[in-house]
Amino acid sequence: MSKSNLAVAQSGNPNIGLIQSLYAMFGRGDVAGIVASATPDVTIGLDGNPNDAPMLGHHKGHAGMRDFFRILAETHDITSFTPEEFYADADKVFVIGRYSWTMKPSGRAGSSDWLHVWTIRNGKIAGMRSLNDTALLAEAWRG
């Protein structure tokens, strides 16, 4: 078994710093800044089937990334979003967090934990995979 080079936020890992800056941009609503921080072939999204809830599924490229953030905004109001733990190894950054939301069509509120797995290539985002409680999101979407 090979030894891991796992790094936590306190170590000053540049990939963790990049991801922390992206969460700050998200908090300010700076989608253009996030897109500018991505490779042209970026893939981003929430694991799951978009037929269960429209915010689920993956999107490719800068246009797909903009669609991802548009769909998030159209489907639910995010009332809190807290990245809590940051870890990095090689080209990956893993972030554990929690968020609360209200689904726009149903008015149903909820909260859940999430795990984001970021892939970094040459100082830019090449991918982001969000693992969430998709059953909870789909149920809240349906009302």
Side-chain angles (χ1 to χ4, degrees), residues 117-136:
V117 180
W118 297 87
T119 302
I120 312 299
R121 186 182 333 124
N122 298 323
K124 293 207 169 233
I125 309 159
M128 191 283 284
R129 180 177 176 197
S130 181
L131 297 110
N132 299 63
D133 184 341
T134 57
L136 178 65

Side-chain angles (χ1 to χ4, degrees), residues 13-95:
N13 180 286
N15 287 345
I16 289 175
L18 170 65
I19 300 310
Q20 289 174 325
S21 74
L22 296 175
Y23 288 127
M25 286 182 216
F26 180 71
R28 294 189 305 269
D30 183 6
V31 171
I34 297 170
V35 172
S37 301
T39 63
D41 63 343
V42 65
T43 300
I44 185 171
L46 282 76
D47 279 11
N49 187 334
N51 292 325
D52 294 330
M55 76 284 303
L56 303 177
H58 292 268
H59 306 265
K60 190 154 179 80
H62 288 174
M65 193 176 214
R66 284 188 290 276
D67 282 345
F68 170 74
F69 287 109
R70 177 187 54 77
I71 292 166
L72 283 181
E74 289 175 354
T75 56
H76 59 316
D77 289 317
I78 297 174
T79 55
S80 72
F81 183 85
T82 309
E84 297 171 342
E85 298 177 45
F86 292 79
Y87 304 94
D89 195 17
D91 67 342
K92 300 283 191 238
V93 176
F94 307 89
V95 185

